[in-house]
Amino acid sequence: KGQNRGERGRGRGGWQGGCQSVSEEMPKYITVSTFAQARAAEINAMLKAVAQKSSNSLVFQTLPRHMRRRAMSHNIKRLPRRLQEVARKEAEKAVHQKKEQSKTKCRKARRRHINLVAEFNRRQRKNIWLETHVWHAKRFHMVKKWGYCLGNSPTEKSYRACYRAMTKHCLLQDLSYYCCLELTGKENELLKQLARICSIDTGLTFEEACCLSGRFEGSLNLYRADHYPKDMLGPVTFLWKPRDGSENRQLWIWVHPALKQDILRELKAIFQCSEPEEIYIPEPVATSIQEEKRMDVVLTLGKKRKKEDKEGEKSVPVKKIIGDGTRDPFQSYSWISQTTGTVISDKTMEILRYRLIGPLSHSVLTETLKAASLQTEMADSETELNNWWVENCKDSEKVSLHQRQSAIFELLEGISSPSEMPPGTILGLTVGDPRVNLPKKKTKAMPDFEKYQDNDKVRQLYLEGVPVDCAHSFIWDQDICKNVTENKISEQDLNHMRAQLLVPGSHLDLGPCESKIPILLVQQPGKMAGEDRPGWGSGWDIYLPKGWGMAFWIPFIYRGVRVGGLQEALKHSEYQRTPHTPNDFPDCQAGMQFAKELETSLLEKFKRRPPAKRANYVKLGTLSPFVCPWGQLTKNWEVRMKASGEFIPSSPHRERCATEGHSFCYPKEEVVKEASPKTGEAEETMEITSSEGALKTEDVTDTQDFGERDETMTTNDFIVLRSEKLLMQLSAWCYPTAGRDRRVRLVSRLGQKDMTEDMFLPILMSYPRALVWVNLSLLRKGNPELHAMICIPTEDDLLHLSKDKLFCGPQEPKHRDIFKHKVQKLKEEKKKKKKDNTKALEGDPPSIPDKEITEEHEDLILGLWSDALPDVTSHCSRTLLGYVTRGDFSLAAGCGEALGFVSLTGLLYMLHKQPADKKGLVLLRTPASLQYRFARLNIEV
């Protein structure tokens, strides 16, 4: 009994049948050669294991304790003679394997200024550092993006504090990573070529009179030459240098770093600037002689420092990188056109750019900056400090201009908000060193209303803005900027002067030795579209010469501003309801690249979770949870409308579309069986069963063809509608009727016409595959998320909402996972294959059918749609209209808000079908939920 009990206790891992099973398994005969060959391999393995040293102990550590001596560890002769040879080999091996000791042994050596600068210079060779990088790195989560090291978000809890700063005080951002492209040439030649890459249909152009004079900053969207509305390049802002009497004009185009290469390539193409003008070296590092002098010191960081030169402590240290440290000094960053003489220069990181957001940003400016004092004599004849300023002060006209600019700058202190100024106002100024006016304690800048409350000059500034001549700044002159950068007083010298003051803490007056810095102030208008919160998020941009970043940054911090990163910039644009670059530009290359990277990161995050701890998007009816299939959405809507036959135009519209020359008109005919747009239970059942794989053969073939074509889609397959005229018309049509004749009053006020077939059919035929930027506000509770689906409510949904005001929305019936059995089959095959491999020492290769099955189900992931996407519009019980690109609870609106794109065809279809008092009502559903929620759709222009 005990033996039987023991055998049962061993379970599967024990003996099977004891000695009887062993005797049954014994072979009747063996082949001697094969048996000897197998045993020889085992004997070799055993001998190798015996010869190999298993422990990590040294030879003297293997001796008995009573024979060990301390000297054995370093003196081999103290060991027994039989072990000395082995110990000698161990010692030689240890010398070769010994790691080379780090040259920077201790923190004290690493933190020496010369070593720190050398280390920082080395780390800037791959990714560009802003001048405020070290300040940000101590307080922010840093990310590497677009070739820069940027602050993403503060490490402290400051989400609401940053919103309060934008709303009530001031938020500071470093936008120096934005790229500046300078164009120099004849005005007519510049305007002629620049007109090819923009369109007056979208708003401003480079020829706008107020911008061309240099008074105001302009913003527009660029396209490839003569390709509007296709081939979007991206949004830019531009500034013209005010006319100074010369024939040539200067133009700055500020672009996002993700868009820089595409826009620079297009500019060089239209101006035919193929050849470099000259080898431009921005001199970010020390000269070769200085590097050679300090090379020995850098190489011997861990050793005792010696004075290699006669000057000793006064020797010049390794120079810190100022500007772009990744630039190749032997590569040109300036190109000239041989035909027109136009010069394109890449001034990235040559001009710094800070942004102050909030109603008190001008108060921060006026307290931090003081206009430069006039100077007619040089402080020191040996240096070039302020020599350009002395020459300009001798000119009475320039002195008068500086005084007028200073007077206007002082008037800003009496303005309650920057939004009261004309949008994009430019003010040039020359200021003194802001480090001199640094307060003892951190204070909060507040406006002085008593001083300028009833001043007529302030009212005149509101109405007329800054005069043209006051927009002039010396920052446009490259030689002056270089002089200002090179002759900056160091922090060490400034602190030494402070230490010599008779009264510690008193004001430091540098007199003629104080640096004069040319700057440019540009007003940012804030929220201009829509009726609610006008002017929210307004502020000022300040442009500085390079090298002066921290000299201006710290004084701004001491005036009580809060600093934001990339996430705060994203929220700023979200509350303004404006597209953010490059997230919300799906029709440009940078936007598509961003979508790919986002899809990859979200998919990796999804795979990291086990199947039981993540959403099954197939059951939830979410076809594409990690990326928005814009191309397929617009194509499916186009085919849907052609199949239904509702919006098929008559011959006059067809002829009109042909005469206008739109390339999007009437694509190739395709026959696709679509679901009927009628509402009701029958439609729901049909659509749910279609998701279960019950489509007809023809439908499956067609939808798979769509999916295959979408994989190779380019930006030509869909566009984003940016025509101001059409967007204003759509905005008026989206407005609901709240009372009697409200629609008539709104339409008449906007100067738009009612929604009739004659009005929207030409739009539909001109742009059959277009997207429209919309914003959505939830009627009740709910928090919209990334890639949430925007759907069209049925008649029953609207009827239920009108009866029950607390009705939050319908629910999507759960779908069946048609890929679950395929995933399980693949899992079983993998287990079977693993089991076979463990049984056989040398398993046979898998048969051809097994290989095919493995390759077929290789990309199957439980919870994701693995085949080509079907018709995305009719996959669920509610017809899909578009997707959300950004969504969250809005602190500004006090409810959930979302931004995204919808199909223009689908939007017109919805507005045409909806009753007048329910116009613009849509349903929102997050990817991981079955609950639909009602939202109001608006188009703000």
Side-chain angles (χ1 to χ4, degrees), residues 274-294:
S274 56
E275 301 201 3
E277 182 196 23
E278 59 181 0
I279 301 298
Y280 174 68
I281 303 175
E283 296 182 3
V285 293
T287 59
S288 58
I289 298 173
Q290 291 172 342
E291 290 286 352
E292 289 173 4
K293 284 183 178 179
R294 289 287 137 196

Side-chain angles (χ1 to χ4, degrees), residues 230-231 587 592 630-636 638 663-664 667 709-720 767-771:
K230 300 184 293 180
D231 296 337
D587 55 338
M592 289 189 288
W630 302 117
Q632 184 156 352
L633 174 71
T634 53
K635 181 150 194 171
N636 290 157
E638 181 193 14
S663 59
F664 293 89
R709 280 196 295 272
D710 287 331
E711 289 177 1
T712 57
M713 273 192 172
T714 60
T715 52
N716 295 331
D717 291 301
F718 69 91
I719 63 165
V720 175
Y767 305 98
R769 296 189 193 175
L771 299 172

Side-chain angles (χ1 to χ4, degrees), residues 583-584 594 598-599 602 624-628 783-789 883-888 898-899 925-928:
N583 310 25
D584 301 321
F594 173 82
L598 181 63
E599 180 187 15
L602 292 177
S624 182
F626 306 137
V627 67
C628 302
N783 193 21
E785 295 177 3
L786 180 68
H787 300 152
M789 291 161 280
Y883 292 97
V884 168
T885 58
R886 280 187 290 151
D888 200 357
L899 301 169
R925 182 164 74 94
T926 56

Side-chain angles (χ1 to χ4, degrees), residues 493-509:
D493 295 341
L494 210 59
N495 291 333
H496 186 65
M497 294 177 192
R498 287 196 183 104
Q500 291 180 341
L501 288 172
L502 294 177
V503 181
S506 60
H507 177 72
L508 177 63
D509 186 10

Side-chain angles (χ1 to χ4, degrees), residues 154-187:
T155 52
E156 62 179 354
K157 291 183 180 179
S158 59
Y159 180 82
R160 288 177 177 269
C162 288
Y163 169 74
R164 285 196 300 269
M166 286 188 278
T167 308
K168 297 180 180 179
H169 193 250
C170 183
L171 182 84
L172 176 63
Q173 288 177 324
D174 190 352
L175 299 186
S176 302
Y177 60 91
Y178 268 70
C179 306
C180 178
L181 303 177
E182 183 183 78
L183 274 67
T184 308
K186 296 180 181 178
E187 182 179 314

Side-chain angles (χ1 to χ4, degrees), residues 732-739 742-743 755 779-780 791-807 881 907 909-923 934-938:
W733 288 343
C734 290
Y735 212 90
T737 302
R742 174 66 183 271
R743 162 72 62 178
M755 188 177 185
L779 299 186
R780 310 219 169 273
C791 303
I792 300 176
T794 62
E795 292 179 4
D796 293 343
D797 297 336
L798 297 176
L799 186 63
H800 195 167
L801 180 65
S802 59
K803 290 181 180 178
D804 184 9
K805 298 297 181 184
L806 299 178
F807 178 55
L881 189 62
L907 180 63
Y909 168 78
M910 183 190 76
L911 295 175
H912 181 64
K913 293 289 184 182
Q914 282 184 335
D917 59 336
K918 302 293 184 183
K919 296 281 186 186
L921 275 182
V922 295
L923 292 171
F934 281 102
R936 174 76 62 195
L937 182 144
N938 290 312

Side-chain angles (χ1 to χ4, degrees), residues 206-223:
F206 290 99
E207 300 180 22
E208 190 70 27
C210 59
C211 300
L212 189 60
S213 63
R215 283 185 67 195
F216 298 99
E217 179 192 51
S219 60
L220 48 80
N221 295 308
L222 296 186
Y223 295 82

